[in-house]
Amino acid sequence: MEQKFSLWFTEYQTADVKISCRVNKTIHQEKTPFQNLAVIDTVQYGRMLVLDNVIQTTVMDEFVYHEMITHVALNTHAAPRKALVIGGGDGGTVREIVKHRTIEKVVHCEIDGAVIEAARKYLPEISCALSHPAVEIVIDDGIKHVQNNKNTYDIIIVDSTDPVGPAEGLFSAAFYRDIFGALKDDGIFVAQTESPFFNRDLIPRLYRDISGIFPVSRLFLGNVSTYPGGLWTFTMGSKKYDPLEVDVSSIPKMDTRYYSPAIHRTCFVLPPFVEELIKNRDEE
Ligand code: SAM
């Protein structure tokens, strides 16, 4: 039998679980001041952004993550005008935010300018809104940015890497308190909060911190096939609006492939093993 020469990229999702993708070509590789960055072209998922050997996003499945981290919050707010994205250097979250007609300004605060540059060059489908006139790019640590901008934003989205390295502080109660301060009186915050299979200590801690700071806190789910375990959590903290009270029939028609008015409702329906993670947090 003819053996085809093949190259594979492997990520250790945990010490004991790996995901491997057959690679057509390495498009770009560099060591930035913050992390090792690679863009690779894979057979199954198309182009993929990898930071420190961890898959960040792929052209094939990015829409799930970017739509869910954005539209649930923006369609919960009555009229979001000013949004902040922390992290999200690939630009996918910004691309989804500018689909909302009320949006006047998006501040995109990414610590590593090299991620933005690589996304502009090699991931145009994802980064295409980074030059939108409403978007201002700030290369800075998101932690500092929220400390220095009080009472400023309607929406804050934390589209971060995993809780190690420069993103570690983006998963702390002190940071969530600063986010509360950077939001206006009816502001909403949402963050990606990892896998309910593999992060069973982290999620309860984050949920307890967020629900101790925000009057409304909700956890919701999406399915991102390249992330560990597939099923992914997002956690929302809101000063006023409750995503469960949204009249989903009034959500404007949007150009989306995963998020829909029905998903806005069903993403909050949690399987018991996920519900368990956030139950009775106040009683502990
Ligand atoms: N969707 C992705 C995931 O869950 O794997 C996250 C994608 S996005 C590329 C994550 C970005 O967060 C990276 O570009 C990283 O440089 C940025 N980041 C990490 N820590 C940060 C911080 N403290 N302030 C701003 N950006 C940060």
Side-chain angles (χ1 to χ4, degrees), residues 99-111:
K99 289 179 179 173
H100 288 257
R101 269 184 249 126
T102 56
I103 282 291
E104 292 163 4
K105 175 107 188 160
V106 186
V107 176
H108 182 192
C109 179
E110 161 63 59
I111 203 165

Side-chain angles (χ1 to χ4, degrees), residues 52-189:
D52 286 341
N53 231 46
V54 176
I55 300 171
Q56 301 296 306
T57 197
T58 83
V59 165
M60 196 192 94
D61 71 351
E62 58 87 11
F63 64 95
V64 181
Y65 175 88
H66 292 128
E67 291 178 12
M68 291 305 283
I69 204 168
T70 301
H71 301 308
V72 179
L74 274 100
N75 283 331
T76 295
H77 196 286
R81 291 193 176 82
K82 192 161 179 189
L84 169 67
V85 177
I86 293 176
D90 49 73
T93 299
V94 166
R95 181 196 64 199
E96 294 305 310
I97 292 175
V98 299
K99 289 179 179 173
H100 288 257
R101 269 184 249 126
T102 56
I103 282 291
E104 292 163 4
K105 175 107 188 160
V106 186
V107 176
H108 182 192
C109 179
E110 161 63 59
I111 203 165
D112 190 347
V115 179
I116 293 185
E117 286 321 305
R120 280 192 200 274
K121 266 195 209 145
Y122 307 114
L123 301 166
E125 310 86 336
I126 305 176
S127 63
C128 51
L130 288 175
S131 305
H132 188 285
V135 177
E136 179 193 345
I137 295 175
V138 175
I139 304 300
D140 202 358
D141 188 332
I143 297 172
K144 269 205 278 168
H145 187 87
V146 289
Q147 286 167 350
N148 295 336
N149 290 274
K150 303 271 181 236
N151 194 22
T152 304
Y153 296 104
D154 300 306
I155 301 281
I156 297 180
I157 297 179
V158 182
D159 179 359
S160 69
T161 36
D162 299 332
V164 283
E168 199 175 347
L170 302 180
F171 292 80
S172 73
F175 176 61
Y176 300 143
R177 277 192 290 274
D178 288 336
I179 286 193
F180 187 92
L183 284 167
K184 292 183 189 158
D185 287 347
D186 57 356
I188 302 178
F189 139 76

Side-chain angles (χ1 to χ4, degrees), residues 137-265:
I137 295 175
V138 175
I139 304 300
D140 202 358
D141 188 332
I143 297 172
K144 269 205 278 168
H145 187 87
V146 289
Q147 286 167 350
N148 295 336
N149 290 274
K150 303 271 181 236
N151 194 22
T152 304
Y153 296 104
D154 300 306
I155 301 281
I156 297 180
I157 297 179
V158 182
D159 179 359
S160 69
T161 36
D162 299 332
V164 283
E168 199 175 347
L170 302 180
F171 292 80
S172 73
F175 176 61
Y176 300 143
R177 277 192 290 274
D178 288 336
I179 286 193
F180 187 92
L183 284 167
K184 292 183 189 158
D185 287 347
D186 57 356
I188 302 178
F189 139 76
V190 62
Q192 73 88 358
T193 46
E194 308 276 313
S195 158
F197 291 105
F198 300 132
N199 302 96
R200 296 188 62 78
D201 293 329
L202 179 76
I203 294 170
R205 199 231 331 133
L206 300 182
Y207 193 80
R208 190 180 51 230
D209 288 347
I210 292 168
S211 58
I213 296 166
F214 287 85
V216 181
S217 55
R218 303 277 177 218
L219 185 132
F220 60 98
L221 296 169
N223 214 301
V224 188
S225 77
T226 46
Y227 288 175
L231 195 64
W232 208 246
T233 69
F234 301 86
T235 305
M236 178 189 287
S238 172
K239 288 190 173 181
K240 175 178 165 191
Y241 303 109
D242 186 341
L244 299 181
E245 285 170 8
V246 170
D247 170 9
V248 295
S249 67
S250 69
I251 293 176
K253 178 126 187 56
M254 304 194 69
D255 170 24
T256 54
R257 290 197 289 154
Y258 187 91
Y259 176 84
S260 69
I263 293 279
H264 186 104
R265 219 176 243 149

Side-chain angles (χ1 to χ4, degrees), residues 16-29:
D16 306 302
V17 177
K18 302 193 269 191
I19 178 174
S20 289
C21 303
R22 193 193 297 275
V23 174
N24 282 325
K25 197 176 170 194
T26 301
I27 308 281
H28 178 73
Q29 245 183 323

